[in-house]
Amino acid sequence: NAGVTQTPKFRILKIGQSMTLQCTQDMNHNYMYWYRQDPGMGLKLIYYSVGAGITDKGEVPNGYNVSRSTTEDFPLRLELAAPSQTSVYFCASSYSVAGGRSLSKLNTEAFFGQGTRLTVV
Amino acid sequence: GEDVEQSLFLSVREGDSSVINCTYTDSSSTYLYWYKQEPGAGLQLLTYIFSNMDMKQDQRLTVLLNKKDKHLSLRIADTQTGDSAIYFCAESIGSNDYKLSFGAGTTVTVRA
């Protein structure tokens, strides 16, 4: 039972480099999200997707891009890494009409990956 | 706009009750949530309350909702060392039940 899987767990980037954070879920969830977590700031929504082929901006989309070619995968792309993008990144998914694996039986329950700690130097 | 606020730290003695408070802004939120984050892990849903409820009890957890004041609280009875974690309050944003706005998280430390 994998749930939401993110790779890599840790990464150090140099300023100006690019990388893709991978996220995949096996719960047939319609909705997927990318958040960043900064100390004392809570989680900020970067991008989200309500289904394959559909993506939309969240609160802090600048410097990032996403795609959703399949239900399972929602990669996050950083094109020109900047120190301000040093953060912990979480992918999440939610809302299976069938109720999915939610123990709470709450369709809006968000399932999170373990996070990617990214440092830009 | 959406803005969820909560205190950053709470220290509690083992066996005592913990109370974590949160204020939110979106009066049209359908659900309000408490998520728990243990060290090195992602967030997990701890409990939630539907916006037309005042209280929800689930074993050691009690959620109180004051819609008039837009105030949400989480009480953990008989706090254990395993309850040490960061607790996030979250509200669903307007009619979009699937979009959440999170607070900064309250770090709860349980001391012996």
Side-chain angles (χ1 to χ4, degrees):
Chain A
N1 287 343
V4 178
T5 304
Q6 285 181 241
T7 56
K9 286 189 169 51
F10 303 95
R11 185 71 186 269
I12 298 175
L13 277 184
K14 292 185 178 176
I15 293 171
Q17 285 186 318
S18 61
M19 77 164 294
T20 300
L21 282 66
Q22 301 291 346
C23 176
T24 187
Q25 52 93 7
D26 64 356
M27 296 173 281
N28 201 32
H29 281 165
N30 303 99
Y31 303 145
M32 296 187 74
Y33 318 82
W34 275 105
Y35 291 91
R36 58 178 288 172
Q37 182 183 28
D38 300 313
M41 298 292 289
L43 278 75
K44 298 295 184 185
L45 182 64
I46 305 171
Y47 269 95
Y48 67 99
S49 168
V50 301
I54 306 168
T55 62
D56 212 342
K57 296 178 181 178
E59 298 175 79
V60 290
N62 291 345
Y64 306 95
N65 275 302
V66 293
S67 59
R68 184 98 182 268
S69 55
T70 65
T71 300
E72 295 78 18
D73 300 307
F74 191 42
L76 177 72
R77 179 91 179 151
L78 283 73
E79 289 294 349
L80 290 169
S84 61
Q85 294 177 304
T86 294
S87 188
V88 181
Y89 291 83
F90 287 101
C91 179
S93 70
S94 71
Y95 213 84
S96 168
V97 173
R101 297 171 45 177
S102 169
L103 294 177
S104 67
K105 297 196 174 24
L106 180 68
N107 280 345
T108 60
E109 177 180 356
F111 289 80
F112 284 79
Q114 288 199 307
T116 297
R117 186 173 294 275
L118 176 67
T119 303
V120 182
V121 296
Chain B
E2 311 85 27
D3 203 3
V4 179
E5 294 187 354
Q6 51 184 128
S7 53
L8 292 182
F9 301 100
L10 176 67
S11 178
V12 63
R13 190 177 302 177
E14 190 175 10
D16 286 352
S17 292
S18 309
V19 179
I20 308 168
N21 294 302
C22 167
T23 57
Y24 62 97
T25 56
D26 191 340
S27 58
S28 61
S29 295
T30 306
Y31 292 101
L32 294 123
Y33 307 84
W34 286 103
Y35 278 81
K36 179 182 180 182
Q37 183 184 30
E38 295 182 352
L43 282 70
Q44 283 192 302
L45 181 66
L46 188 62
T47 187
Y48 67 96
I49 188 166
F50 192 52
S51 58
N52 69 354
M53 298 170 64
D54 297 324
M55 185 181 85
K56 179 180 179 181
Q57 189 140 6
D58 183 3
Q59 298 182 332
R60 293 190 297 121
L61 305 177
T62 303
V63 179
L64 295 177
L65 175 61
N66 181 330
K67 282 196 76 173
K68 175 175 167 289
D69 295 336
K70 297 192 183 70
H71 184 265
L72 182 74
S73 68
L74 173 70
R75 179 176 179 269
I76 306 173
D78 186 25
T79 310
Q80 304 297 307
T81 54
D83 295 324
S84 292
I86 305 176
Y87 292 81
F88 291 90
C89 173
E91 61 173 344
S92 57
I93 299 173
S95 58
N96 295 320
D97 291 346
Y98 54 87
K99 285 177 67 177
L100 301 181
S101 178
F102 286 86
T106 300
T107 299
V108 173
T109 303
V110 181
R111 59 188 194 277

PDB file of all heavy atoms in Angstrom, chain A residues 44-63:
ATOM      1  N   LYS A  44       2.053  26.259   2.000  1.00  0.00           N
ATOM      2  CA  LYS A  44       1.528  27.134   0.954  1.00  0.00           C
ATOM      3  C   LYS A  44       1.310  26.304  -0.308  1.00  0.00           C
ATOM      4  O   LYS A  44       2.182  25.553  -0.730  1.00  0.00           O
ATOM      5  CB  LYS A  44       2.516  28.272   0.653  1.00  0.00           C
ATOM      6  CG  LYS A  44       2.778  29.196   1.845  1.00  0.00           C
ATOM      7  CD  LYS A  44       1.545  29.962   2.250  1.00  0.00           C
ATOM      8  CE  LYS A  44       1.857  30.935   3.374  1.00  0.00           C
ATOM      9  NZ  LYS A  44       0.636  31.608   3.872  1.00  0.00           N
ATOM     10  N   LEU A  45       0.158  26.490  -0.925  1.00  0.00           N
ATOM     11  CA  LEU A  45      -0.189  25.722  -2.117  1.00  0.00           C
ATOM     12  C   LEU A  45       0.502  26.314  -3.333  1.00  0.00           C
ATOM     13  O   LEU A  45       0.349  27.499  -3.625  1.00  0.00           O
ATOM     14  CB  LEU A  45      -1.713  25.731  -2.300  1.00  0.00           C
ATOM     15  CG  LEU A  45      -2.283  24.939  -3.459  1.00  0.00           C
ATOM     16  CD1 LEU A  45      -1.993  23.448  -3.281  1.00  0.00           C
ATOM     17  CD2 LEU A  45      -3.783  25.163  -3.572  1.00  0.00           C
ATOM     18  N   ILE A  46       1.256  25.485  -4.047  1.00  0.00           N
ATOM     19  CA  ILE A  46       1.998  25.943  -5.225  1.00  0.00           C
ATOM     20  C   ILE A  46       1.133  25.767  -6.479  1.00  0.00           C
ATOM     21  O   ILE A  46       0.867  26.714  -7.212  1.00  0.00           O
ATOM     22  CB  ILE A  46       3.317  25.165  -5.385  1.00  0.00           C
ATOM     23  CG1 ILE A  46       4.151  25.246  -4.108  1.00  0.00           C
ATOM     24  CG2 ILE A  46       4.115  25.695  -6.578  1.00  0.00           C
ATOM     25  CD1 ILE A  46       5.355  24.314  -4.122  1.00  0.00           C
ATOM     26  N   TYR A  47       0.739  24.544  -6.735  1.00  0.00           N
ATOM     27  CA  TYR A  47      -0.117  24.189  -7.863  1.00  0.00           C
ATOM     28  C   TYR A  47      -1.032  23.057  -7.427  1.00  0.00           C
ATOM     29  O   TYR A  47      -0.722  22.314  -6.501  1.00  0.00           O
ATOM     30  CB  TYR A  47       0.716  23.695  -9.061  1.00  0.00           C
ATOM     31  CG  TYR A  47       1.139  24.765 -10.035  1.00  0.00           C
ATOM     32  CD1 TYR A  47       2.391  25.364  -9.927  1.00  0.00           C
ATOM     33  CD2 TYR A  47       0.304  25.164 -11.076  1.00  0.00           C
ATOM     34  CE1 TYR A  47       2.791  26.336 -10.827  1.00  0.00           C
ATOM     35  CE2 TYR A  47       0.697  26.141 -11.982  1.00  0.00           C
ATOM     36  CZ  TYR A  47       1.950  26.728 -11.848  1.00  0.00           C
ATOM     37  OH  TYR A  47       2.346  27.690 -12.743  1.00  0.00           O
ATOM     38  N   TYR A  48      -2.133  22.911  -8.140  1.00  0.00           N
ATOM     39  CA  TYR A  48      -2.991  21.770  -7.903  1.00  0.00           C
ATOM     40  C   TYR A  48      -3.606  21.314  -9.222  1.00  0.00           C
ATOM     41  O   TYR A  48      -3.541  22.023 -10.236  1.00  0.00           O
ATOM     42  CB  TYR A  48      -4.071  22.090  -6.868  1.00  0.00           C
ATOM     43  CG  TYR A  48      -5.094  23.111  -7.295  1.00  0.00           C
ATOM     44  CD1 TYR A  48      -6.348  22.719  -7.770  1.00  0.00           C
ATOM     45  CD2 TYR A  48      -4.817  24.477  -7.187  1.00  0.00           C
ATOM     46  CE1 TYR A  48      -7.284  23.658  -8.155  1.00  0.00           C
ATOM     47  CE2 TYR A  48      -5.754  25.417  -7.580  1.00  0.00           C
ATOM     48  CZ  TYR A  48      -6.988  25.012  -8.050  1.00  0.00           C
ATOM     49  OH  TYR A  48      -7.918  25.944  -8.431  1.00  0.00           O
ATOM     50  N   SER A  49      -4.187  20.125  -9.166  1.00  0.00           N
ATOM     51  CA  SER A  49      -4.794  19.547 -10.359  1.00  0.00           C
ATOM     52  C   SER A  49      -6.065  18.814  -9.951  1.00  0.00           C
ATOM     53  O   SER A  49      -6.057  18.059  -8.977  1.00  0.00           O
ATOM     54  CB  SER A  49      -3.814  18.571 -11.029  1.00  0.00           C
ATOM     55  OG  SER A  49      -4.468  17.805 -12.005  1.00  0.00           O
ATOM     56  N   VAL A  50      -7.123  19.029 -10.716  1.00  0.00           N
ATOM     57  CA  VAL A  50      -8.395  18.363 -10.399  1.00  0.00           C
ATOM     58  C   VAL A  50      -8.623  17.136 -11.259  1.00  0.00           C
ATOM     59  O   VAL A  50      -9.665  16.482 -11.143  1.00  0.00           O
ATOM     60  CB  VAL A  50      -9.592  19.332 -10.498  1.00  0.00           C
ATOM     61  CG1 VAL A  50      -9.396  20.502  -9.542  1.00  0.00           C
ATOM     62  CG2 VAL A  50      -9.778  19.819 -11.918  1.00  0.00           C
ATOM     63  N   GLY A  51      -7.660  16.847 -12.134  1.00  0.00           N
ATOM     64  CA  GLY A  51      -7.780  15.661 -12.959  1.00  0.00           C
ATOM     65  C   GLY A  51      -6.718  15.687 -14.042  1.00  0.00           C
ATOM     66  O   GLY A  51      -6.055  16.719 -14.260  1.00  0.00           O
ATOM     67  N   ALA A  52      -6.550  14.560 -14.705  1.00  0.00           N
ATOM     68  CA  ALA A  52      -5.540  14.476 -15.762  1.00  0.00           C
ATOM     69  C   ALA A  52      -5.795  15.547 -16.820  1.00  0.00           C
ATOM     70  O   ALA A  52      -6.933  15.750 -17.242  1.00  0.00           O
ATOM     71  CB  ALA A  52      -5.551  13.083 -16.385  1.00  0.00           C
ATOM     72  N   GLY A  53      -4.723  16.254 -17.176  1.00  0.00           N
ATOM     73  CA  GLY A  53      -4.806  17.293 -18.197  1.00  0.00           C
ATOM     74  C   GLY A  53      -5.220  18.660 -17.686  1.00  0.00           C
ATOM     75  O   GLY A  53      -5.259  19.628 -18.438  1.00  0.00           O
ATOM     76  N   ILE A  54      -5.521  18.759 -16.375  1.00  0.00           N
ATOM     77  CA  ILE A  54      -5.999  20.028 -15.806  1.00  0.00           C
ATOM     78  C   ILE A  54      -5.117  20.421 -14.634  1.00  0.00           C
ATOM     79  O   ILE A  54      -4.966  19.656 -13.681  1.00  0.00           O
ATOM     80  CB  ILE A  54      -7.453  19.900 -15.299  1.00  0.00           C
ATOM     81  CG1 ILE A  54      -8.364  19.366 -16.390  1.00  0.00           C
ATOM     82  CG2 ILE A  54      -7.951  21.245 -14.779  1.00  0.00           C
ATOM     83  CD1 ILE A  54      -9.736  18.949 -15.884  1.00  0.00           C
ATOM     84  N   THR A  55      -4.523  21.608 -14.727  1.00  0.00           N
ATOM     85  CA  THR A  55      -3.724  22.115 -13.606  1.00  0.00           C
ATOM     86  C   THR A  55      -4.090  23.576 -13.369  1.00  0.00           C
ATOM     87  O   THR A  55      -4.602  24.259 -14.269  1.00  0.00           O
ATOM     88  CB  THR A  55      -2.211  22.014 -13.879  1.00  0.00           C
ATOM     89  OG1 THR A  55      -1.880  22.832 -15.012  1.00  0.00           O
ATOM     90  CG2 THR A  55      -1.785  20.582 -14.141  1.00  0.00           C
ATOM     91  N   ASP A  56      -3.821  24.036 -12.163  1.00  0.00           N
ATOM     92  CA  ASP A  56      -4.125  25.433 -11.843  1.00  0.00           C
ATOM     93  C   ASP A  56      -3.163  25.936 -10.778  1.00  0.00           C
ATOM     94  O   ASP A  56      -2.604  25.146 -10.008  1.00  0.00           O
ATOM     95  CB  ASP A  56      -5.560  25.571 -11.357  1.00  0.00           C
ATOM     96  CG  ASP A  56      -6.167  26.910 -11.737  1.00  0.00           C
ATOM     97  OD1 ASP A  56      -5.397  27.853 -12.056  1.00  0.00           O
ATOM     98  OD2 ASP A  56      -7.401  27.028 -11.717  1.00  0.00           O
ATOM     99  N   LYS A  57      -2.983  27.252 -10.763  1.00  0.00           N
ATOM    100  CA  LYS A  57      -2.054  27.862  -9.825  1.00  0.00           C
ATOM    101  C   LYS A  57      -2.656  27.942  -8.438  1.00  0.00           C
ATOM    102  O   LYS A  57      -3.851  28.163  -8.267  1.00  0.00           O
ATOM    103  CB  LYS A  57      -1.690  29.273 -10.298  1.00  0.00           C
ATOM    104  CG  LYS A  57      -0.940  29.302 -11.615  1.00  0.00           C
ATOM    105  CD  LYS A  57      -0.661  30.743 -12.052  1.00  0.00           C
ATOM    106  CE  LYS A  57       0.080  30.757 -13.381  1.00  0.00           C
ATOM    107  NZ  LYS A  57       0.313  32.139 -13.856  1.00  0.00           N
ATOM    108  N   GLY A  58      -1.761  27.789  -7.449  1.00  0.00           N
ATOM    109  CA  GLY A  58      -2.141  28.000  -6.073  1.00  0.00           C
ATOM    110  C   GLY A  58      -1.711  29.373  -5.616  1.00  0.00           C
ATOM    111  O   GLY A  58      -1.721  30.334  -6.385  1.00  0.00           O
ATOM    112  N   GLU A  59      -1.282  29.466  -4.344  1.00  0.00           N
ATOM    113  CA  GLU A  59      -0.891  30.756  -3.781  1.00  0.00           C
ATOM    114  C   GLU A  59       0.472  31.244  -4.258  1.00  0.00           C
ATOM    115  O   GLU A  59       0.713  32.443  -4.392  1.00  0.00           O
ATOM    116  CB  GLU A  59      -0.817  30.654  -2.253  1.00  0.00           C
ATOM    117  CG  GLU A  59      -2.095  30.320  -1.548  1.00  0.00           C
ATOM    118  CD  GLU A  59      -1.823  30.138  -0.059  1.00  0.00           C
ATOM    119  OE1 GLU A  59      -1.695  31.144   0.652  1.00  0.00           O
ATOM    120  OE2 GLU A  59      -1.713  28.969   0.384  1.00  0.00           O
ATOM    121  N   VAL A  60       1.423  30.301  -4.443  1.00  0.00           N
ATOM    122  CA  VAL A  60       2.822  30.673  -4.695  1.00  0.00           C
ATOM    123  C   VAL A  60       3.383  29.932  -5.906  1.00  0.00           C
ATOM    124  O   VAL A  60       4.342  29.169  -5.806  1.00  0.00           O
ATOM    125  CB  VAL A  60       3.688  30.423  -3.428  1.00  0.00           C
ATOM    126  CG1 VAL A  60       3.347  31.411  -2.336  1.00  0.00           C
ATOM    127  CG2 VAL A  60       3.533  28.988  -2.927  1.00  0.00           C
ATOM    128  N   PRO A  61       2.840  30.150  -7.117  1.00  0.00           N
ATOM    129  CA  PRO A  61       3.256  29.363  -8.283  1.00  0.00           C
ATOM    130  C   PRO A  61       4.530  29.837  -8.973  1.00  0.00           C
ATOM    131  O   PRO A  61       5.108  29.087  -9.766  1.00  0.00           O
ATOM    132  CB  PRO A  61       2.062  29.541  -9.222  1.00  0.00           C
ATOM    133  CG  PRO A  61       1.559  30.917  -8.897  1.00  0.00           C
ATOM    134  CD  PRO A  61       1.755  31.087  -7.414  1.00  0.00           C
ATOM    135  N   ASN A  62       4.980  31.062  -8.679  1.00  0.00           N
ATOM    136  CA  ASN A  62       6.099  31.621  -9.450  1.00  0.00           C
ATOM    137  C   ASN A  62       7.364  30.808  -9.272  1.00  0.00           C
ATOM    138  O   ASN A  62       7.777  30.502  -8.152  1.00  0.00           O
ATOM    139  CB  ASN A  62       6.349  33.071  -9.039  1.00  0.00           C
ATOM    140  CG  ASN A  62       5.224  33.980  -9.473  1.00  0.00           C
ATOM    141  OD1 ASN A  62       4.392  33.612 -10.299  1.00  0.00           O
ATOM    142  ND2 ASN A  62       5.172  35.169  -8.902  1.00  0.00           N
ATOM    143  N   GLY A  63       7.993  30.483 -10.399  1.00  0.00           N
ATOM    144  CA  GLY A  63       9.232  29.706 -10.372  1.00  0.00           C
ATOM    145  C   GLY A  63       9.017  28.207 -10.516  1.00  0.00           C
ATOM    146  O   GLY A  63       9.988  27.455 -10.510  1.00  0.00           O
TER     147      GLY A  63
END
